[in-house]
Amino acid sequence: MMDRQNEHKLTGRPDFGWDMPNKPFLTIGEVADILQVSSRTVYNLIYKGTLRACRITYHITLITKEDFFLMIKETTYCKRSFSVFVRQGKKTKKKMNGERQEKEQTALIRQEGKE
């Protein structure tokens, strides 16, 4: 098996580890292999609108090479100023505080009823 450095020397062009099929369309599995992610991640890219795809049948979804390269070219990295998990944590904390206050009020009402 030829390693990447030797292939680069022989062909004059780098091999990025992408085995790009020699056809105009890519399948979900091929895109997942190229990006080194799971097929679920590829479907998530499609559902978010980041990657355009054509669903031929229930089991066949195709992506044109042009759409694949357009996704890579047009999608820019955007650093978020906050983590999604931080916001979820705050919501959960508020919810927990609200529930605790309700329990305290219920306990006070019960105590007053006993007196």
Side-chain angles (χ1 to χ4, degrees):
M1 185 174 179
M2 188 180 335
D3 68 353
R4 291 182 185 163
Q5 290 178 342
N6 286 339
E7 187 169 338
H8 175 64
K9 289 176 188 173
L10 293 174
T11 61
R13 60 190 173 117
D15 175 26
F16 296 109
W18 292 5
D19 294 326
M20 187 64 72
N22 226 3
K23 55 188 178 184
F25 297 100
L26 300 169
T27 64
I28 298 291
E30 289 168 342
V31 172
D33 288 343
I34 291 168
L35 296 177
Q36 297 180 354
V37 296
S38 69
S39 57
R40 172 54 39 209
T41 302
V42 176
Y43 279 112
N44 288 341
L45 290 171
I46 294 168
Y47 297 150
K48 284 194 316 188
T50 306
L51 178 61
R52 245 176 62 170
C54 179
R55 187 173 186 180
I56 305 299
T57 68
Y58 181 75
H59 293 287
I60 301 172
T61 301
L62 297 177
I63 297 119
T64 63
K65 281 187 181 179
E66 291 82 19
D67 287 333
F68 174 75
F69 286 117
L70 187 65
M71 175 195 71
I72 292 174
K73 183 180 176 185
E74 296 295 321
T75 305
T76 57
Y77 180 78
C78 179
K79 183 180 176 187
R80 293 184 176 176
S81 59
F82 58 87
S83 171
V84 175
F85 301 109
V86 171
R87 283 202 330 191
Q88 287 178 345
K90 287 181 181 176
K91 287 179 185 176
T92 305
K93 198 173 185 179
K94 284 181 185 177
K95 187 177 177 184
M96 287 173 63
N97 285 340
E99 289 173 357
R100 185 174 35 151
Q101 286 175 353
E102 286 177 19
K103 287 179 183 177
E104 288 173 359
Q105 287 174 350
T106 306
L108 285 174
I109 292 170
R110 285 182 183 166
Q111 217 173 22
E112 289 173 0
K114 288 179 182 178
E115 292 175 356

